[in-house]
Amino acid sequence: MAAPDPAFERQVLRRSITVTAVLGSLGIVWGIISGSQMILLDGVYAFIGIVVSWLLLRASAMAEQGPTRRYHYGREAVTPLVIGVQGFVLLATLLYALTEGVFTIRAGGSNVTPGPAVAYAVVTTIASIVFWRWLLRQAAHSDLLRAEATGWRVAALRGAGMSAGFAVLWILTDSSWDRAAPYVDPVMVVITCIAFLPAPLRMVRSTIVELLEGAPPPEIQRPVLDAVAAVFGDFDIEEPTVRMTKVGQKLYVEIDAAVRPDVTIGQEHEVREAVRIRLAHLPYDVWLNFELTPS
């Protein structure tokens, strides 16, 4: 599996920014027309997404530059850093909207025109689902594009929730339950914010783990451990100590093992090459540190 192409990543992100700008503009205009706090949140959320997508573009360009005189190991760490910033921004936006929604409920709700609100919800839901599915097909093993796809998944779910909520609002309007109608919009805001808080929290947690050089997720560790076990089994060497950490597209793998005193440098090189070949299929830039110590 090949590592993601930075130029392709940037091309996909540019398309995401364009679509987000269109939907964000619709959200703000439609929110003003319908008087919906939820739709305004959706539009503002979209424009925040544009800023974050631009940061992801910059991260991709910086990571592609490789090692420099100042950054001897490159700047791959900018990728998890920007993903963490995205998580923090989304988290802050949701918490602010949650607070506003609670205050609106306490103030007696808001008056929303249901027709335009339902139309917006349907349009944005369909657009978000289509673009989210397209992004998933493009993402492959790109952390940047997977992070962008997460944002579109949230947008699609948010749109589906809006569609259901505004349909309920339409039913309540001019019915015997008319007094409950003003609370539908702010209640939707509160429910949406609570439902989507886990996604940015996971993004922030992932960033912290990577920047503190924590162990990568099990799905990344497993193929490495399997490859090392297979090689060491072929050469009849005791089970080694394997340490790993992942920063952006770089996967650092350190292997230490005790061997018989008569093992030569040439034999050590042979084992190292066998491990390197088995790890070459991984969609990461593997930095292998290998050491066999005489027991």
Side-chain angles (χ1 to χ4, degrees), residues 28-208:
I28 292 175
V29 173
W30 230 310
I32 294 172
I33 292 173
S34 64
S36 169
Q37 188 180 44
M38 182 65 206
I39 293 179
L40 275 175
L41 167 64
D42 199 62
V44 172
Y45 200 92
F47 272 99
I48 291 174
I50 293 175
V51 176
V52 172
S53 295
W54 179 83
L55 288 175
L56 291 173
L57 273 173
R58 293 295 304 144
S60 176
M62 291 174 67
E64 187 186 15
Q65 292 174 6
T68 64
R69 181 175 297 179
R70 185 171 186 179
Y71 301 97
H72 295 181
Y73 295 95
R75 288 179 284 188
E76 289 285 345
V78 73
T79 299
L81 179 62
V82 169
I83 290 173
V85 170
Q86 181 181 20
F88 273 117
V89 170
L90 295 179
L91 188 61
T93 303
L94 290 174
L95 290 175
Y96 175 78
L98 177 61
T99 303
E100 286 293 308
V102 170
F103 279 134
T104 302
I105 291 172
R106 295 185 63 182
S110 59
N111 295 319
V112 177
T113 306
V118 171
Y120 172 82
V122 171
V123 169
T124 193
T125 300
I126 294 174
S128 297
I129 290 174
V130 170
F131 203 78
W132 168 48
R133 298 298 299 176
W134 179 79
L135 257 180
L136 284 180
R137 291 195 298 271
Q138 311 304 314
H141 297 280
S142 168
D143 288 344
L144 289 175
L145 296 186
R146 281 200 297 266
E148 187 72 1
T150 297
W152 280 99
R153 179 176 65 85
V154 170
L157 292 173
R158 193 170 63 244
M162 280 194 295
S163 298
F166 288 136
V168 170
L169 172 62
W170 208 339
I171 294 172
L172 292 177
T173 302
D174 297 328
S175 72
S176 58
W177 294 88
D178 186 74
R179 284 180 296 180
Y183 294 97
V184 172
D185 189 63
V187 166
M188 275 200 302
V189 171
V190 171
I191 293 175
T192 298
C193 293
I194 293 174
F196 295 142
L197 280 176
L201 285 173
R202 282 193 297 269
M203 295 169 71
V204 172
R205 179 183 178 277
S206 173
T207 292
I208 292 173

